[in-house]
Amino acid sequence: RVYLEDFLPNLQHSAAVAIADVNNFKSINDKYGHQIGDIALKAVSGGRYVDAAAKTKEVFSWERKKADKLFLAVHGNTQNGQTARNDWETLLGGNSQWQIETIQSAEPDGYGTYRWSYDMVSYQSVARALKRIQSEGYGQIVCGGFSAGCDMLLRTVLFTPARCDRLILQSPWIPIMQDDAVRVIDAVGKKEIALSIFCGSEDADCLPMAEQLYTLAAKNGLNVRFDIQKGIRHQFPDGPSALTDLLRGM
């Protein structure tokens, strides 16, 4: 229930909860026990995930330069590129100076949704996307991430030469800060990237991470701002906010 409460506010399409009744599966539980039954179910679902992952590729929406400024939107887990576009495009308010593009993970996370892994592989989709548009002559490049997308952006800044003018992190789920906080701050500072952090006051998991990132960034003299969104959980704000003002003022 907690998962659905966090997931549904960001859903951009209709959804349903399905409960499957596997034919005759009770006989397996009765004969071999529930522990063996669970192993069997995991084996089947795991095999299907591997098959789906083998057929899935990252999707970068960019084709050519269409505006003076570029905004790269990175989705969170259990989302997709279109979710990211819808969220950020709404907040930008149709500003024609900005070209919004998205990068979608190659890791399936459900029907039509994708996820990021916190390793040395998953973030490379974001790194390739940012590298591709680096030399296209944009007057400004801003990257916006939601949840796990924020972690992928920080990994890209830390582990690759890629840079942007500003990072906007909404509801940042950033486990990279557990082991590499000092190096992340150092990389953001050396690349002179402005940092804007937004997190809901009711986002119990991400708020401590957001506060840690802000505290370290401010202590080291980075160009950083931090806004706590009152009454917001792990989600995009659905009305006027400091994030909206920032985006429309760029």
Side-chain angles (χ1 to χ4, degrees):
R1 191 186 73 183
V2 172
Y3 168 80
L4 288 175
E5 288 176 349
D6 287 340
F7 171 61
L8 290 177
N10 297 296
L11 197 63
Q12 303 296 327
H13 51 76
S14 300
V17 177
I19 300 176
D21 182 14
V22 181
N23 289 339
N24 301 318
F25 195 79
K26 185 176 183 300
S27 62
I28 295 178
N29 284 334
D30 290 343
K31 184 174 182 179
Y32 300 104
H34 287 276
Q35 185 174 5
I36 298 300
D38 290 345
I39 292 173
L41 287 174
K42 290 177 181 178
V44 172
S45 62
R48 290 184 176 179
Y49 178 84
V50 170
D51 290 342
K55 299 174 183 176
T56 306
K57 297 180 180 179
E58 66 189 55
V59 178
F60 185 28
S61 65
W62 187 90
E63 295 179 348
R64 58 184 174 83
K65 183 181 178 184
K66 302 176 184 177
D68 181 56
K69 303 176 182 180
L70 183 128
F71 190 100
L72 178 63
V74 185
H75 64 81
N77 288 343
T78 320
Q79 294 186 337
N80 54 38
Q82 190 59 52
T83 303
R85 179 180 295 277
N86 293 344
D87 285 336
W88 293 101
E89 202 165 43
T90 299
L91 296 178
L92 278 166
N95 190 330
S96 61
Q97 290 185 319
W98 287 93
Q99 174 180 348
I100 302 180
E101 302 295 347
T102 63
I103 176 66
Q104 181 173 284
S105 170
E107 300 177 47
D109 194 32
Y111 182 73
T113 62
Y114 302 85
R115 66 171 293 105
W116 305 103
S117 291
Y118 310 105
D119 54 24
M120 293 302 293
V121 177
S122 195
Y123 80 91
Q124 292 180 22
S125 295
V126 177
R128 283 188 287 269
L130 196 51
K131 179 181 178 180
R132 185 174 172 184
I133 49 89
Q134 207 84 80
S135 59
E136 291 297 324
Y138 286 101
Q140 189 176 0
I141 297 176
V142 173
C143 296
F146 174 72
S147 190
C150 300
D151 192 83
M152 299 303 107
L153 285 169
L154 291 180
R155 288 174 188 268
T156 295
V157 170
L158 174 58
F159 297 124
T160 77
R163 73 169 300 278
C164 60
D165 296 291
R166 180 183 295 274
L167 285 175
I168 303 178
L169 310 180
Q170 171 66 49
S171 308
W173 177 254
I174 43 178
I176 184 68
M177 294 294 290
Q178 293 176 2
D179 298 318
D180 288 299
V182 174
R183 295 172 63 203
V184 167
I185 296 300
D186 185 58
V188 173
K190 285 182 177 178
K191 294 181 179 181
E192 298 182 337
I193 300 173
L195 190 59
S196 301
I197 308 164
F198 297 85
C199 193
S201 61
E202 307 306 308
D203 192 344
D205 292 325
C206 294
L207 187 55
M209 295 182 180
E211 291 173 334
Q212 178 196 15
L213 178 59
Y214 170 72
T215 300
L216 286 174
K219 182 179 179 180
N220 284 272
L222 272 61
N223 180 1
V224 59
R225 66 173 287 179
F226 178 37
D227 291 83
I228 298 178
Q229 299 154 318
K230 187 176 180 181
I232 298 293
R233 298 185 66 188
H234 191 66
Q235 63 194 81
F236 260 84
D238 56 5
S241 66
L243 175 56
T244 311
D245 295 339
L246 170 67
L247 289 167
R248 298 186 181 182
M250 290 190 305

